[in-house]
Amino acid sequence: MGLTKLILRRGQNFSLTLTFNQPFQPQKDQLTFVAETGPEPTELLGTRATFLLLQTRPGNVWSASDFIIDSNSLQVSIFTPASAVIGHYTLKTEISRDQGPGVTYPLGNFILLFNPWSTEDDVYLPSETLLQEYIMSDYGFVYKGQENSITSRPWNYGQFEEDIVDICFEILNKSLYFLRNPSRDHSQRSDVVYVCRVVSAMINSNDDSGVLQGNWGEDYSQGISPLEWNGSVAILRQWSARGGQPVKYGQCWVFASVMCTVMRCLGVPTRVVSNFHSAHNTDGNLTIDTYYDRTAEMLPTQKPDKIWNFHVWNECWMIRKDLPPGYNGWQVLDPTPQQTSSGLFCCGPASVKAIKEGDVHLPYDTPFVFAEVNADEVIWLFEGGQVQEILAHNTNYIGKAISTKMVGSDQRLDITSSYKYPEGSSEERSVFIKASRKLLEPRRDSSSLLDLLGSEGFKDKPVQLQLRLAREPMWGQDLMLTLHVQRVPDRAHSQDPIGLTVRFCAQALLHGGSTRKPFWRHAVHLNMDIEKELQWPLLLPYSNYRNKLTDEKLIHVSGIAEVEETGRFILILKDFSLEPPQLSIEVFERAEVGKALNIYITLTNTLMVALNNCTMVLEGSGLINGQITKDLGTLMTGHTIQIQMELYPIKAGPHQLQVLISSSEVKEIKGYKDVFIAAAPGF
């Protein structure tokens, strides 16, 4: 973080040498130390500490002890308790002799952070391996895409960059809590639960001068697309440089990644977590309703409930003294502004253990997070202005492949089992019922729906239908799918052939789970004998979707099969994202601080269209100070571009170079390279 600041973790000693103009005599000279933080500091609020010089440290309190006298100098050990308020401190001393008047001298300033290495601190994490990952690592990955096609995107956290620690406290000092009562706000900064809630509210700007402005539309002309950020440092520096004006724009992965930077910088073990098929359940009934018509078009709804393709939040490690025993450890915090908590757009901390056990009565915002990973999806057939029947009741669609970066590795770690018991298990349904009773009983408004779901008559299907991709979907190419149909042998069904009319519809899928108007429709008629199987090819031409998708290139294909003999309907769904070209980054030499390092970046345009207005942005703490931007022009179809860059590494240790190439056609072509930087000779 720099050599110009004294930065300490609470529960830690630091040594101080005082030099006097005459010999120090402990029998006659009385030294009183004063440490203060925040406006109008007082001992009552815990923002001022007064302590005398002692021979031995008295315990987990502010103290000056273990001193050594050498004529005119005094070396003393200052101890900061593990329960101290975090923040910027001033330290001064008052010296008096023989009961005479005292003279006060300023000694200097220091910054105090949480200390996950201290057993006395509420953020104590008893694993050096985990601390290296969740505090010391300044890069990581965000997991995006679809449950069955998860993509990793590199992110530069940069929490140890020169000015980031000051910006983190600037964030706290612009919160509504501080503006309403600065002294009280500072006094509560000893409590990690409080600090996490403040940061969660301040990363978004819905209530305050927060860091990021969200944008889930498609017009980013007034700022930067959320897809085009490589890391947190540029965002935090822009926010600070503009006096706290929100940076445009963020979505969930940007909010969570910036919060990870802030919390790691403040000393709280933090990781970024992605939840695929993440429910946004605003009415607390643990069901999300979606609607289709008989042409298979997904219909818009006026309800605020939705299912995100994926949603990204944070987990912070801490002791929860405000909860009963058993709920310590990882806690969910979500800075994306989805709904208010105690009047502000923030979320958490919610104990992951409480979520798994369905203890939704425990603070904070546990019911909301429980629904994000456990809600049921109910899909309705909608015709003539009203619902006709239930097409599907999915109890295991929401909360899939919950992911974070693996410790000490670039691989993905699935942590779904931390949030819930196996889908379909007796424990999982038992927890769901337990949570449902706590949430729904006070309202008594869900019995008709639950009765309807309990009948499960809609599960009686004479055929099994499945949509599969026939080849990897690449943007700029025709898309090939296959409809797999299998007749189900069942005594409950007739053994006679049945006729199926299957209507297909393709729509651009938005990140929030809703869709645009259809850009492709198709219908087929099939006759199915008992135990018959068939595979029906489907072609979705590039010309149909070329100008119809969002920057994330997500497609929602749905089909509704009508059984001619019974008039019943069967729903088929397939979501997928179109893959961009892949870039490669090569380093052929040893990286060393201050020594030129050649980087080779290669991109081949494998698409059927040219990439226009290509721009490259390089970022990486320890490798680059800030960002490097380079215009690349147009990359024609089938052409390859290789860029050589010369870098001068700044910091020794493991680091990561992140590269983004964006164009008018594809906003997010990302790659990374892990680089170990050796110290300069003589260091």
Side-chain angles (χ1 to χ4, degrees), residues 124-190:
Y124 173 59
L125 180 58
S127 166
E128 183 61 31
T129 302
L130 297 184
L131 287 166
Q132 289 300 314
E133 181 70 49
Y134 298 132
I135 289 288
M136 301 305 295
S137 179
D138 59 8
Y139 61 87
F141 297 95
V142 175
Y143 295 100
K144 302 170 62 179
Q146 302 292 322
E147 174 203 353
N148 296 319
S149 180
I150 296 173
T151 57
S152 64
R153 295 291 183 257
W155 192 271
N156 179 39
Y157 296 128
Q159 69 268 32
F160 300 121
E161 292 295 296
E162 183 68 32
D163 48 354
I164 295 302
V165 67
D166 290 327
I167 295 174
C168 290
F169 284 105
E170 188 181 344
I171 289 170
L172 297 182
N173 291 342
K174 279 190 163 59
S175 77
L176 292 181
Y177 295 98
F178 175 83
L179 296 176
R180 290 168 183 165
N181 192 331
S183 297
R184 185 165 184 265
D185 170 73
H186 261 80
S187 73
Q188 291 182 277
R189 293 183 188 179
S190 61

Side-chain angles (χ1 to χ4, degrees), residues 266-320:
L266 295 177
V268 181
T270 304
R271 61 189 186 183
V272 174
V273 173
S274 296
N275 176 41
F276 291 87
H277 303 159
S278 187
H280 181 178
N281 184 217
T282 57
D283 54 15
N285 67 354
L286 293 180
T287 59
I288 308 292
D289 298 311
T290 52
Y291 303 89
Y292 291 81
D293 65 18
R294 64 177 60 219
T295 70
E297 179 180 347
M298 185 179 179
L299 302 174
T301 174
Q302 299 303 311
K303 293 184 178 182
D305 287 8
K306 64 184 71 173
I307 302 174
W308 300 93
N309 307 317
F310 66 91
H311 183 54
V312 185
W313 58 66
N314 300 100
E315 287 180 1
C316 293
W317 181 275
M318 68 190 73
I319 292 172
R320 291 296 299 272

Side-chain angles (χ1 to χ4, degrees), residues 463-497:
V463 291
Q464 290 181 345
L465 302 170
Q466 191 176 35
L467 273 173
R468 298 176 187 170
L469 290 166
R471 67 183 183 196
E472 183 179 12
M474 296 287 291
W475 193 83
Q477 298 180 3
D478 293 345
L479 306 177
M480 304 293 296
L481 296 96
T482 305
L483 173 65
H484 292 253
V485 187
Q486 183 175 8
R487 183 75 185 271
V488 178
D490 192 325
R491 295 176 184 173
H493 300 131
S494 167
Q495 305 300 302
D496 297 331

